[in-house]
Amino acid sequence: ESPEGRKMLELRRSLPAYKEKDALLTAISRNQVVIISGETGCGKTTQIPQFILESEIEAVRGAVCSIICTQPRRISAMSVSERVASERGEKLGESVGYKVRLEGMKGRDTRLLFCTTGILLRRLLVDRNLKGVTHVIVDEIHERGMNEDFLLIVLKDLLPRRPELRLILMSATLDSELFSSYFGRAQIIHVPGFTYPVRTHFLEDVLEITGCRLTPYNQIDDYGQEKMWKMSKQAPRKRKSQIASVVEDALKAADFNGYGPQTQESLACWNPDCIGFNLIEYLLCNICESERPGAILVFMTGWDDINSLKEKLHANPLLGDSSRVLLLACHGSMASSEQRLIFDEPEDGVRKIVLATNIAETSITINDVVFVLDCGKAKETSYDALNNTPCLLPSWISKVSAQQRRGRAGRVQPGECYHLYPRCVYDAFAEYQLPEILRTPLQSLCLQIKSLNLGSISEFLSRALQSPELLAVQNAIEYLKIIGALDENENLTVLGRYLTMLPVEPKLGKMLLVGAILNCLDPVLTIVSGLSVRDPFLTPFDKKDLAEAAKSQFSRDYSDHLALVRAYEGWKVAERDFAGYDYCWKNFLSAQSMKAIDSLRKEFFSLLRDTDLVDANTTTHNAWSYDEHLIRAVICYGLYPGICSVVHNEKSFLLKTMEDGQVLLYSNSVNAREPKIPYPWLVFNEKIKVNSVFLRDSTAVSDSMLLLFGGSFSKGTLDGHLTMLGGYLEFFMKPAIAE
Ligand code: ADP
Ligand code: MG
């Protein structure tokens, strides 16, 4: 035993979960389902799977035990497995491993596997009884992610078939009753946590204490709006969510009479639709200049506003001085090198500031945090089933989330939490967030239900913890029929079965399959990889025009997708001369995304080989890879029915979809810079409602292309058309793999 080993053991034993070890193990041995709740940081994720592993090793069943612990996000699966392996003094891939989409580290002796929920669902596809698995731990169930809710239905069905299998559910909040009653009054074990007191300041107190003043000009405009290009002069109609109007009413009724005149003036200028970058900067400077040590955690809504804020702070003489401040970002797609820095203690005299999404609320614990700044928002997907449109809006968090954020400040000593909104707004928050299954499109979920042979989609979903609305289910089924993945009777078609073998959205899977069949895989791999990572085209806040001009250099033919292909190919050439980074810098491209595309391409290619559509000897440079017309057709085939018509007027053009009427383009689309589009249609990858409906990544297509590779708006011809296309595919593809 090394000194580090002993120190680590001591550290582990000091965690609250350790005190409950025996009770936990007894409960798990006596019950098939156990629910564990405990405050974030108490040691659920890192310790409980180890307790089970160690007790199995002691009981000499170690060699045969197999523990799977699911995480909602790949980043937590990776970082947690690394942490657990190092706590055990091992390398990753020995007794502890991980597996996330397209990546993993797992050896012959791996007994504890951390994986994303999606990976376990894929495993159920080929191994419906989870043969050999002894324990399944589903972590972070309080988040109510769609995959987790889905997995719980499947596991509930599995339990009677596998009486010796143990299911452990872990939650960071105390509302475990719902889960317990879902599993027939399963036992709940609570791990009491300990946090130091955290002093809470709402906006009015922050203004009063710091003397910071808000003016109408001192807030950054809603960053979402900033980035978009408005086709029409008329202001987009604002559709307020229910919670937004509750917040507005609360503000109207608020009484700030006890506060000074400056504070009252500032509060009158406060805009609930904005995140006050200047206020954050001011507060950060205040804290950094104070004597009190400790890291600062700032909760933002997403990757884009984190980056904008980071740039702004870098320009500040104090916060941008790397000898005094270590400025880090923490979000789902950060690089793993950056990930490790988040946990490290900075050098003496250097203040660590972490700008994070709600990933730092419960799944990642940063130990030395003493100050928390909470903007009160998170980016939340929602789904408007009536218009069949997904929405992505920064929206107000729940009370439970706000409490979680506050708790992050009291890990090592008493802390301070600054909520950057008034107390009356907090009082108007909902208690809990709506589960994801009730607020997202269900296409991929429905396809998975079919591929797992779980019977009727709507019957299956009626057995969820909370069932999605019928219309949302019908929309998803209708979509899968239109794209040819399901037949009229809701059975998987040959195409559908191939799609379930690719871990991407159905539309991207379609592109890969047809790209392979039509011998033009090379650019298609780039496009699909590009659409699966963060947009590689960067649009920095203050260099928006330059960045958009840089992107349009790659555009020749009214297609964001083809622009991406050219950008990637240019990068490949530059990379050969070790100039990839320069190339990215000059062209406003993310080097990280380019590298991710490069490795995803290889992964997708090898997955396609597994489907037998690509034979082992072909390289990606197929005969037709350079035919841009053909690539355009493949894009059209994949993205249909994501389509809008181009209507020209004297000066410019308007875009319309069937469901939404007029729609707009994101300003960084190459098509947004064109005065005219000499094609009647755009196919698009994604539409999102942010006040208005915006399209992301579009490609112009002709009538004939749409007819041959998409379909027509008239149902009759559409069906006929798809039957024909389906016929071709059936002809070219080998019969589905035997069950
Ligand atoms: P929970 O799942 O209950 O929120 P965890 O098991 O994730 O708690 O974390 C328990 C403790 O382990 C945390 O309080 C933190 O101190 C420590 N910890 C977890 N991950 C890391 C890491 N990657 N580096 C350093 N410390 C960590
Ligand atoms: Mg955890």
Side-chain angles (χ1 to χ4, degrees), residues 349-400:
V350 178
R351 175 91 61 175
K352 180 164 80 177
I353 302 179
V354 182
L355 311 180
T357 60
N358 54 356
I359 188 170
E361 236 171 62
T362 62
S363 29
I364 287 182
T365 297
I366 306 163
N367 262 332
D368 45 349
V369 173
V370 174
F371 306 92
V372 164
L373 272 60
D374 161 30
C375 76
K377 293 190 175 178
K379 215 173 268 174
E380 186 188 82
T381 55
S382 58
Y383 173 62
D384 175 357
L386 219 52
N387 293 314
N388 197 7
T389 304
C391 314
L392 187 67
L393 290 161
S395 44
W396 293 112
I397 55 177
S398 65
K399 286 199 175 106
V400 169

Side-chain angles (χ1 to χ4, degrees), residues 366-571:
I366 306 163
N367 262 332
D368 45 349
V369 173
V370 174
F371 306 92
V372 164
L373 272 60
D374 161 30
C375 76
K377 293 190 175 178
K379 215 173 268 174
E380 186 188 82
T381 55
S382 58
Y383 173 62
D384 175 357
L386 219 52
N387 293 314
N388 197 7
T389 304
C391 314
L392 187 67
L393 290 161
S395 44
W396 293 112
I397 55 177
S398 65
K399 286 199 175 106
V400 169
S401 286
Q403 286 154 13
Q404 288 284 354
R405 291 180 177 193
R406 183 187 313 154
R408 311 291 74 221
R411 301 269 321 135
V412 279
Q413 52 171 283
E416 307 280 332
C417 175
Y418 304 91
H419 297 292
L420 306 177
Y421 43 90
R423 179 184 294 271
C424 62
V425 169
Y426 170 82
D427 290 335
F429 285 176
E431 210 60 44
Y432 298 102
Q433 196 197 22
L434 215 56
E436 193 182 9
I437 203 166
L438 303 187
R439 57 182 170 82
T440 15
L442 303 170
Q443 297 136 5
S444 293
L445 183 69
C446 290
L447 193 61
Q448 254 176 328
I449 293 172
K450 277 297 162 191
S451 66
L452 285 167
N453 254 325
L454 298 170
S456 147
I457 292 175
S458 44
E459 190 277 328
F460 179 79
L461 285 175
S462 72
R463 292 188 283 126
L465 265 159
Q466 276 161 290
S467 307
E469 59 177 319
L470 194 61
L471 188 57
V473 180
Q474 283 167 348
N475 283 342
I477 295 174
E478 188 60 21
Y479 172 84
L480 293 172
K481 284 181 181 168
I482 288 179
I483 68 161
L486 293 184
D487 66 16
E488 269 313 304
N489 304 318
E490 277 181 34
N491 292 320
L492 276 184
T493 59
V494 175
L495 173 62
R497 197 159 290 282
Y498 271 89
L499 288 177
T500 62
M501 292 157 67
L502 300 167
V504 288
E505 287 174 79
K507 60 185 165 198
L508 300 183
K510 278 183 80 175
M511 281 192 223
L512 287 176
L513 293 174
V514 83
I517 293 166
L518 299 180
N519 251 314
C520 57
L521 202 48
D522 194 53
V524 175
L525 282 169
T526 307
I527 292 167
V528 170
S529 305
L531 292 177
S532 327
V533 302
R534 286 275 164 211
D535 193 348
F537 292 100
L538 301 172
T539 27
F541 207 58
D542 51 347
K543 299 191 192 82
K544 203 165 134 277
D545 286 343
L546 281 174
E548 284 166 15
K551 181 177 178 185
S552 69
Q553 285 171 23
F554 295 111
S555 160
R556 243 167 271 153
D557 30 28
Y558 310 95
S559 167
D560 290 308
H561 304 100
L562 288 168
L564 170 72
V565 172
R566 291 193 198 97
Y568 169 80
E569 277 161 8
W571 175 78

Side-chain angles (χ1 to χ4, degrees), residues 8 11-12 15-17 38-49 71 79-80 82-84 86-87 139-140 170-172 191 339-340 342-344 361-368 408 411-412:
M8 188 61 98
L11 206 83
R12 288 187 56 199
L15 290 171
E39 213 164 296
T40 309
C42 76
K44 293 184 300 300
T45 310
T46 54
Q47 304 309 313
I48 290 167
Q71 297 293 315
S79 83
V80 163
E82 193 175 320
R83 169 71 184 178
V84 172
S86 83
E87 283 188 7
D139 202 357
E140 313 277 355
M170 305 204 292
S171 161
V191 180
Q339 220 182 100
R340 251 160 255 137
I342 292 168
F343 298 109
D344 289 348
E361 236 171 62
T362 62
S363 29
I364 287 182
T365 297
I366 306 163
N367 262 332
D368 45 349
R408 311 291 74 221
R411 301 269 321 135
V412 279

